[in-house]
Amino acid sequence: MTEIKEKADKELMKINDLKISNGEKCEYRTDYLNWEDYFMGIAFLAAQRSKDPATQVGACIVNDEMKIVAIGYNGFPINCSDDKFPWTKESNDPLENKYMYVCHAEVNAILNKNSFDVKGCSLYVALFPCNECAKIIIQSRIKEIVYLSDKHADKPQTKASKMMLDSAGIKYRQYKPKHSKIVIDFDKINEN
């Protein structure tokens, strides 16, 4: 069991053990998001910022105190215009494909962190990281990757990624969400 899951379980036990002054258990919502759905949900929300017409990926990095220290999504580097670089992936000319230019969500999250480093953190990401991202994840000392989809498992980039992550001792696991959908309703706050 991961440290985050252990901390979440301990927190839930503490909440369940709370008593109010008359000895009854506290009443609270039971349909709230668990920590891991929350972190994966943040990754998916960040992905909505991506302008990539084919694949939108987000990443959320969480420290051992279950605090978000970084968020990223796939897109072009700063000052590289979305209008001047290609978004396609079908051209025979490598310079006309997005792959030469796009920064992946994991890289953007690591580079745009709001902490000194991400050593010992967990990375929540929609897709299993490619080999290029794996190198940066390893170098940044992230301890765990929690991913939702491994749809590129048969690609050489993914196989190379897993080989490096295994060699470096970085854990990874596919996450099965408790909720298949999380709806953000901006009108809900105005309800009674």
Side-chain angles (χ1 to χ4, degrees):
M1 191 184 280
T2 68
E3 288 179 40
I4 288 181
K5 285 175 113 174
E6 289 172 3
K7 285 186 179 193
D9 289 343
K10 286 179 184 175
E11 184 175 311
L12 184 58
M13 287 179 2
K14 283 181 194 174
I15 291 171
N16 288 335
D17 290 340
L18 287 177
K19 306 275 184 190
I20 55 175
S21 59
N22 67 5
E24 294 179 22
K25 286 199 174 197
C26 294
E27 298 288 328
Y28 59 87
R29 271 181 59 229
T30 58
D31 62 342
Y32 60 90
L33 290 177
N34 65 38
W35 282 114
E36 293 207 307
D37 275 358
Y38 172 66
F39 298 139
M40 191 63 77
I42 295 291
F44 271 75
L45 184 61
Q48 295 302 303
R49 287 282 309 139
S50 175
K51 294 180 182 175
D52 191 321
T55 306
Q56 302 83 43
V57 178
C60 178
I61 300 176
V62 180
N63 69 15
D64 62 356
E65 296 177 346
M66 297 193 312
K67 294 179 181 171
I68 295 170
V69 297
I71 298 171
Y73 56 89
N74 59 312
F76 295 141
I78 295 170
N79 295 327
C80 292
S81 173
D82 296 319
D83 299 322
K84 292 183 180 175
F85 289 89
W87 285 106
T88 186
K89 58 182 184 177
E90 307 299 328
S91 176
N92 290 330
D93 180 357
L95 293 175
E96 292 299 321
N97 285 316
K98 67 180 182 176
Y99 300 116
M100 301 292 265
Y101 313 104
V102 169
C103 293
H104 286 181
E106 302 93 324
V107 172
N108 274 327
I110 291 167
L111 292 174
N112 295 315
K113 64 192 175 296
N114 64 8
S115 61
F116 178 73
D117 62 26
V118 292
K119 181 179 181 180
C121 290
S122 296
L123 168 71
Y124 288 79
V125 64
L127 287 175
F128 194 92
C130 72
N131 62 308
E132 294 299 321
C133 290
K135 294 176 203 176
I136 294 167
I137 291 167
I138 292 166
Q139 290 297 93
S140 69
R141 305 290 196 268
I142 285 175
K143 70 174 178 185
E144 176 187 36
I145 299 166
V146 182
Y147 64 93
L148 195 70
S149 174
D150 196 10
K151 70 180 184 179
H152 300 302
D154 294 331
K155 289 187 175 183
Q157 296 91 332
T158 306
K159 290 178 181 179
S161 177
K162 289 178 180 177
M163 288 171 60
M164 287 187 286
L165 293 168
D166 289 342
S167 179
I170 295 177
K171 295 182 241 169
Y172 52 87
R173 64 184 167 88
Q174 188 167 25
Y175 183 61
K176 302 291 184 204
K178 183 177 176 186
H179 299 89
S180 63
K181 289 184 181 182
I182 297 172
V183 177
I184 297 175
D185 179 355
F186 289 117
D187 293 326
K188 189 166 180 73
I189 195 70
N190 291 319
E191 294 176 5
N192 288 335

